[in-house]
Amino acid sequence: MARQVAVLLFADVDILDFAGPFEVFGVTGGRDGPELFEVVTVAAERSPISARNGLSINPTYSFEDCPTCQVLVVPGGPGTRREKNNAAMLDFIRRHADNADHVLSVCTGALLLAKAGLLDGLSATTHHHAMDELRNDAPATTVLDQARVVDNGKFILSAGVSAGIDAALYTVAQLHGLDQAIETAARMEYDWRLRVADGSSIARTA
């Protein structure tokens, strides 16, 4: 059975932050075998979301009717500075993170996880311009400045924007093996160089 992946959306979300992981999970498997992931989007309401630079997206679900997911993707973007003070957003993240097997944040999506109180005692990374902000929002979290992907087990965090593709491929490798992740990267024609945890670029803390 395909794992359910819910990609969170909000106004001024960075496009590649959500679209990169969406593409990775969406194309994994399916060509020569069963689909391995079913990917949906979710926002506070089902009305169109205006992403950064004006791209309009129609979310699949609202906070009210979003089903339980095995993977929750929390992207970043300028809108995180507003949403990290949005009680409804933080409550949604907490509820679905509690039921998910994995929570993947991209870029400043880490700030939302921090404000939701989900990073205490863990390690994290974010966009290089937001490191100090993450430290302020998550004083009980170890921020790894040089890491592109940080794996805490359930919580997997990536650095900025395009790093979300690496984190998603890394998650595919954790769930379905390295060969499947390599096949997905090749199918996307993505030059994926960070394939295994090396303690630096990809830091595994779990």
Side-chain angles (χ1 to χ4, degrees), residues 10-13 15 47-57 82:
F10 47 84
D12 293 322
V13 63
I15 295 167
S47 54
I49 293 293
S50 181
R52 193 173 190 183
N53 300 317
L55 178 69
S56 181
I57 316 111
R82 176 191 62 253

Side-chain angles (χ1 to χ4, degrees), residues 1-8 21-22 24-26 36-42 66-75 92-93 96-106 113 153-156 164 167-176:
M1 181 179 295
R3 286 181 169 87
Q4 304 295 303
V5 179
V7 180
L8 186 60
F22 190 107
V24 170
F25 291 119
L36 299 179
F37 299 96
E38 180 181 347
V39 190
V40 300
T41 53
V42 56
C66 184
T68 299
C69 60
Q70 282 74 57
V71 181
L72 175 64
V73 179
V74 182
F92 174 85
I93 291 172
H96 283 266
D98 187 55
N99 293 318
D101 297 324
H102 294 282
V103 179
L104 169 61
S105 84
V106 183
L113 298 186
K154 178 171 183 169
F155 291 90
I156 299 173
L169 288 167
Y170 176 83
T171 303
V172 169
Q174 296 302 105
L175 295 174
H176 292 289

Side-chain angles (χ1 to χ4, degrees), residues 128-163:
H128 61 277
H129 285 159
M131 294 293 183
D132 289 341
E133 187 175 1
L134 180 57
R135 288 189 172 92
N136 288 334
D137 287 348
T141 301
T142 301
V143 178
L144 303 178
D145 298 69
Q146 302 304 314
R148 189 166 176 83
V149 176
V150 176
D151 177 11
N152 294 281
K154 178 171 183 169
F155 291 90
I156 299 173
L157 301 96
S158 78
V161 196
S162 64

